[in-house]
Amino acid sequence: MQTYNTNSQHSLNLFSMPSDWIANLLMVEIHYCDPYEYTLDAGGSCLQRGWTKARRLCIRSKLPVAGRIAGMQLIATLVHPDLKSTDGNVLRRHAVRGIVTRGSSILLLYTERYNDFSFPGGGLDPGEDRVAGLAREMQEETGARNVKVVAEYGYIEEFRPFWKPEFDLMHMTSHFFSCEIDQDLGEIQMESYELDNGMRPVWVDIGEAVAHNKAVMAGKEKSMGLSIYRETFMLERIAGDLLALPA
């Protein structure tokens, strides 16, 4: 599939995977253009393209690519590279994650154990409202006060390995929200395991966060966490959105 825009997600959001009676057979390969080598003449009769790059996403006919959650847009369906199969006993989880930016800086969590940056947020309690759950998680993990949801950014469907023997994999749906918070952070109320992992809130340049996480993945550090693929995917996407904003 040749996408019409530098942001391949525009094509994915309008795309529906054809059904097939054989599972795990179909895969989409998207060709898109590097934003730094791409121009679009809105008044012309054709697109002027720079060098294209191939991007393969693990989007298979068996997974709910075309699914929608009321009020939110599907961003992507991701399959962790270490996951061998999507068959078996699946642990289902829903989580909320907050996006708070100030200029090129973004509020993230740095975790010493995994040496990575991630979005603040976490799992929803049974029956918990998404916005209320996000405010609770943001306050507990970052000390954010007066959390205000500005927009629903979208959600990611993620399939990844799970370590408990009673499950073969986890299916995580992460709901991302753009938020505003008070200028100063208050006292954090993290759980003991989060403190033991060396987790702390930080304001960091989003480009530096992306580069750091990508270096951890490239080096395949032994301490690398499973969520780093999802988090880095989203950080890159948001960084692209910030670059697209007028100066």
Side-chain angles (χ1 to χ4, degrees):
M1 178 171 66
Q2 183 77 40
T3 187
Y4 77 96
N5 190 284
T6 56
N7 185 347
S8 59
Q9 288 301 140
H10 288 321
S11 293
L12 281 179
N13 290 337
L14 298 174
F15 174 79
S16 295
M17 173 67 79
S19 59
D20 196 288
W21 65 278
I22 301 177
N24 297 327
L25 180 63
L26 302 180
M27 183 175 72
V28 177
E29 180 169 319
I30 303 165
H31 293 265
Y32 69 105
C33 297
D34 189 302
Y36 298 102
E37 300 171 352
Y38 183 96
T39 61
L40 172 62
D41 180 7
S45 60
C46 65
L47 301 181
Q48 301 170 11
R49 296 191 176 117
W51 294 102
T52 60
K53 297 182 179 180
R55 172 186 180 188
R56 290 183 177 177
L57 295 180
C58 295
I59 302 178
R60 302 191 177 101
S61 58
K62 189 175 180 181
L63 305 182
V65 178
R68 290 291 184 269
I69 293 176
M72 298 197 81
Q73 184 180 54
L74 175 66
I75 298 170
T77 299
L78 307 178
V79 180
H80 194 281
D82 291 342
L83 187 65
K84 305 304 181 184
S85 172
T86 57
D87 296 325
N89 294 325
V90 180
L91 175 63
R92 192 71 174 92
R93 290 197 64 192
H94 288 265
V96 285
R97 311 191 191 280
I99 304 167
V100 183
T101 60
R102 289 176 183 166
S104 63
S105 294
I106 186 168
L107 179 60
L108 298 175
L109 298 171
Y110 175 74
T111 305
E112 292 182 8
R113 177 180 178 181
Y114 304 122
N115 188 24
D116 68 6
F117 292 101
S118 61
F119 291 90
L124 288 171
D125 294 331
E128 186 176 23
D129 177 77
R130 277 184 257 167
V131 173
L134 177 63
R136 173 183 56 77
E137 288 285 348
M138 293 282 292
Q139 191 279 324
E140 291 174 354
E141 293 184 338
T142 70
R145 294 178 292 192
N146 294 322
V147 177
K148 177 183 177 182
V149 171
V150 177
E152 297 174 330
Y153 192 90
Y155 69 98
I156 282 183
E157 300 286 9
E158 177 191 12
F159 296 79
R160 72 189 202 193
F162 194 66
W163 58 273
K164 288 188 177 180
E166 60 265 34
F167 295 102
D168 299 297
L169 69 153
M170 176 191 290
H171 176 188
M172 169 80 79
T173 301
S174 293
H175 312 261
F176 287 83
F177 295 86
S178 297
C179 303
E180 291 179 352
I181 60 175
D182 284 355
Q183 183 68 29
D184 298 322
L185 298 177
E187 183 179 355
I188 62 174
Q189 297 175 341
M190 291 186 184
E191 297 189 45
S192 58
Y193 77 90
E194 293 172 325
L195 294 173
D196 291 342
N197 286 341
M199 180 183 287
R200 63 180 183 271
V202 293
W203 284 99
V204 60
D205 180 87
I206 192 168
E208 294 179 8
V210 170
H212 178 93
N213 278 10
K214 292 181 78 171
V216 171
M217 291 189 292
K220 297 182 178 179
E221 297 183 11
K222 292 182 179 180
S223 61
M224 187 171 66
L226 293 173
S227 64
I228 192 171
Y229 292 96
R230 178 195 67 231
E231 301 296 278
T232 307
F233 175 89
M234 281 299 298
L235 283 170
E236 285 192 286
R237 179 183 172 92
I238 295 165
D241 288 347
L242 292 177
L243 287 173
L245 292 175

